[in-house]
Amino acid sequence: MRRGLISVAIFFAFVAIFTLSRYHAPSSTTTTTTGTTATTTTTFASSTTTTTSTVAAATCQGSGFSGVYNEGEGAAGTVYASVTLTKTSAGTCSETGWPIVTLQNKSGALLPITLVEVPSATNTLQFSTAKANHAPTQLLLHQGSLTTFSLAYSSVTTANTVCDNALTLNIQFATGASSVPVTAPYAVQPCDNGKVWVSPFY
């Protein structure tokens, strides 16, 4: 009787070991988001194959944003200000670099403008906000995200300058992208044929 019980126990132990040896570990999925790229990697324990899919965020469109003009201060004839844009649309987009700005007067006519990118080797203008003086960085914006750029212009009138009165700034994130109109509470009057210094988005 005793030998019979031992034999049965050995038999069940063998079945248990055999069953466990045939068990496959479940697959694991890891999703990593870096900058503007989302990468999903699926790895199976019983295989050396790795599958990766990459989805890049689209360039931001001004039609998905609202904007506010932030009045700044003047120093030695130069007026400093900034524009803050808020993403109102769903989804995610990316942007890098300097804004493309056009000016309109109260009648909607386009005014001359010459954009000068800061920082650059050709000028020494500095904004009071440290981030505005840094090189461009890639930004990933979601619904509700804010992005800002600083601007400056000379308000000193001379015999050789033209100082137009602009009430609307149209902001583009890239050439060919839609723009977001931003209304200034007071007229923007860049002299020297519309010369405006702009920082990268930050």
Side-chain angles (χ1 to χ4, degrees), residues 104-119:
Q104 289 179 284
N105 62 18
K106 63 181 181 180
S107 300
L110 289 174
L111 301 175
I113 184 171
T114 302
L115 296 176
V116 181
E117 296 174 348
V118 177

Side-chain angles (χ1 to χ4, degrees), residues 30-185:
T30 303
T31 302
T32 304
T33 303
T34 303
T36 59
T37 302
T39 302
T40 301
T41 302
T42 303
T43 305
F44 296 90
S46 59
S47 171
T48 58
T49 303
T50 298
T51 303
T52 301
S53 60
T54 300
V55 180
T59 300
C60 293
Q61 297 289 327
S63 56
F65 287 76
S66 62
V68 175
Y69 187 89
N70 308 305
E71 281 290 330
E73 299 178 352
T78 301
V79 177
Y80 294 85
S82 65
V83 173
T84 298
L85 304 178
T86 303
K87 191 174 190 305
T88 57
S89 60
T92 301
C93 67
S94 68
E95 51 89 0
T96 306
W98 292 267
I100 299 172
V101 183
T102 56
L103 301 177
Q104 289 179 284
N105 62 18
K106 63 181 181 180
S107 300
L110 289 174
L111 301 175
I113 184 171
T114 302
L115 296 176
V116 181
E117 296 174 348
V118 177
S120 73
T122 58
N123 71 80
T124 58
L125 184 136
Q126 290 281 304
F127 293 108
S128 58
T129 301
K131 289 182 178 179
N133 301 306
H134 293 169
T137 58
Q138 191 173 50
L139 302 178
L140 192 65
L141 303 178
H142 312 277
Q143 188 172 21
S145 294
L146 304 179
T147 185
T148 301
F149 70 89
S150 295
L151 61 93
Y153 60 88
S154 173
S155 60
V156 178
T157 303
T158 67
N160 298 320
T161 63
V162 175
C163 305
D164 290 306
N165 291 327
L167 292 179
T168 302
L169 296 84
N170 297 296
I171 316 299
Q172 290 174 285
F173 290 98
T175 302
S178 60
S179 62
V180 52
V182 177
T183 301

